[in-house]
Amino acid sequence: MPIRKKKYKGISIAETVIAIAIFSIVGISLYQLSTQLTRLTRVSRDEIAATALAQEEFEKIRNLPYASIGILNGIPQGILPKTQAVTRDGISFEITRTVRNIDDPFDGTINGSPKDTAPSDYKLLEIQLSCPMCRDGGDYTFSSHIAPKNTETSSNNGALFIQVFDANGQPIQGANVHIANSSAVPPILIDETTNAAGMLQLVDVPTGTKKYKITVTKDGYSTQRTMGNDEVSNPTKPHATVSTQQVTQISFSIDTLSTINILTATATCTPIPSLPFTLAGSNLSHMFLPDHCLFLQSRFRQTRYKISRLFLSHQTHAIF
């Protein structure tokens, strides 16, 4: 009797490829889910640590005497350092503190009607935490108001309002404002930025006649500053003066930087190398147009310069 052999059905190549594809899709999805959960866990841990650190800072500062709540060498004066490096739960943070006197319009303002003779109604405390090693940048900002326990009294200080705009009169947000007054006791040294309206408003500022040296700039922008009589005999923008119960308003105009490319050539437009020249002019005027030989090629952005003098020291026809 012949023996019948059993036939075994195998797996085809197509079925194998499909199985591998399904396994790969499931595996990749699980890996991405695990990675996302890990990232969210780390972000949540960073946020919890930052929030706890900010709350710790607020509680510590609220327990200080009201007069001590301020930045060292700042306005208002206080005992708090501007920046400080700390570590919490193994995470390194850079703390940046900002304290501002707030003139609340509820009881009038220093430059309003009725006039507020005690314009420093309360203080705005802002805590910025920077964590370069944290996920998603790790920048956190917290703020709170701190009010005095006693009633207001009239102040002998003044206010300093700084406005920054460009050549078109548009306010510049985030402009860096450096203020120094070495005559104050203790000395004042402030580095702040303008708000969305291009303003920096400082209230309850110690008085001083031409004592506040102010410099305004921004990355990619020009720089403008006040000057003293020791630098210029009659400066158009002298150092700021702050008077009792008065508002000093000072404006600065800065703008994006420009590039001037100069090409010296003969009357037949042949380039002349190593030619010394002197260029002088003033800003915020009309644009200088190059001539047919492109002796002076100018590329301008927002800031415009008027070329008033250009002397070329060479015995050719390349003199403007």
Side-chain angles (χ1 to χ4, degrees):
M1 181 176 180
I3 300 175
R4 299 181 64 180
K5 295 182 179 180
K6 294 182 179 181
K7 295 182 179 180
Y8 295 94
K9 188 177 181 180
I11 300 176
S12 66
I13 295 178
E15 292 173 330
T16 303
V17 171
I18 293 174
I20 293 175
I22 294 174
F23 178 79
S24 299
I25 292 173
V26 173
I28 292 174
S29 299
L30 291 175
Y31 174 76
Q32 291 178 341
L33 178 61
S34 175
T35 303
Q36 185 71 5
L37 289 175
T38 302
R39 189 188 71 83
L40 292 176
T41 301
R42 292 191 59 181
V43 170
S44 178
R45 185 198 65 173
D46 297 340
E47 291 179 350
I48 292 174
T51 302
L53 178 58
Q55 291 176 346
E56 177 184 328
E57 282 290 312
F58 284 131
E59 290 302 320
K60 180 175 64 177
I61 294 173
R62 285 194 181 99
N63 289 322
L64 293 174
Y66 186 76
S68 299
I69 300 176
I71 305 300
L72 285 169
N73 303 118
I75 298 175
Q77 289 276 4
I79 63 173
L80 301 174
K82 179 68 175 179
T83 60
Q84 183 181 2
V86 298
T87 301
R88 289 293 183 275
D89 299 331
I91 305 174
S92 297
F93 291 97
E94 179 77 17
I95 302 177
T96 301
R97 304 176 182 89
T98 300
V99 181
R100 297 269 179 85
N101 287 318
I102 302 299
D103 187 5
D104 197 307
F106 177 78
D107 59 346
T109 59
I110 189 173
N111 61 340
S113 180
K115 185 174 184 178
D116 188 0
T117 59
S120 181
D121 297 317
Y122 52 86
K123 295 178 180 179
L124 171 65
L125 172 62
E126 185 177 87
I127 302 293
Q128 292 179 318
L129 301 179
S130 176
C131 177
M133 302 303 295
C134 294
R135 291 275 185 169
D136 297 336
D139 291 327
Y140 310 94
T141 301
F142 306 87
S143 61
S144 178
H145 291 145
I146 301 178
K149 297 180 180 179
N150 302 322
T151 57
E152 295 180 348
T153 57
S154 297
S155 172
N156 292 323
N157 293 335
L160 181 60
F161 291 1
I162 298 172
Q163 172 79 59
V164 183
F165 51 85
D166 60 18
N168 296 319
Q170 298 300 314
I172 298 179
Q173 181 180 6
N176 301 312
V177 181
H178 176 80
I179 304 173
N181 181 356
S182 58
S183 300
V185 180
I188 294 174
L189 189 64
I190 300 175
D191 287 288
E192 293 287 355
T193 56
T194 55
N195 58 19
M199 291 285 296
L200 174 62
Q201 297 178 324
L202 301 177
V203 180
D204 203 20
V205 179
T207 59
T209 302
K210 295 184 179 180
K211 297 298 184 182
Y212 287 90
K213 302 177 181 179
I214 305 174
T215 303
V216 176
T217 188
K218 187 178 180 180
D219 289 341
Y221 281 69
S222 58
T223 299
Q224 190 175 29
R225 67 182 181 91
T226 60
M227 303 186 75
N229 294 100
D230 56 336
E231 300 173 283
V232 181
S233 58
N234 188 22
T236 57
K237 192 177 291 294
H239 297 320
T241 296
V242 176
S243 303
T244 301
Q245 294 293 327
Q246 299 296 321
V247 177
T248 299
Q249 301 190 48
I250 183 170
S251 60
F252 294 85
S253 176
I254 62 175
D255 219 315
T256 49
L257 298 176
S258 303
T259 300
I260 299 179
N261 299 318
I262 297 177
L263 172 65
T264 56
T266 64
T268 58
C269 296
T270 302
I272 304 175
S274 304
L275 187 64
F277 68 91
T278 300
L279 177 66
S282 59
N283 65 343
L284 302 180
S285 186
H286 64 271
M287 183 181 295
F288 185 88
L289 298 177
D291 66 6
H292 73 286
C293 282
L294 299 180
F295 290 145
L296 179 60
Q297 296 177 332
S298 302
R299 179 170 60 86
F300 293 88
R301 298 178 188 173
Q302 294 292 332
T303 306
R304 300 174 181 177
Y305 293 88
K306 176 183 178 182
I307 309 301
S308 59
R309 299 192 308 275
L310 179 59
F311 301 104
L312 300 179
S313 303
H314 200 275
Q315 297 298 324
T316 67
H317 296 288
I319 299 179
F320 294 89

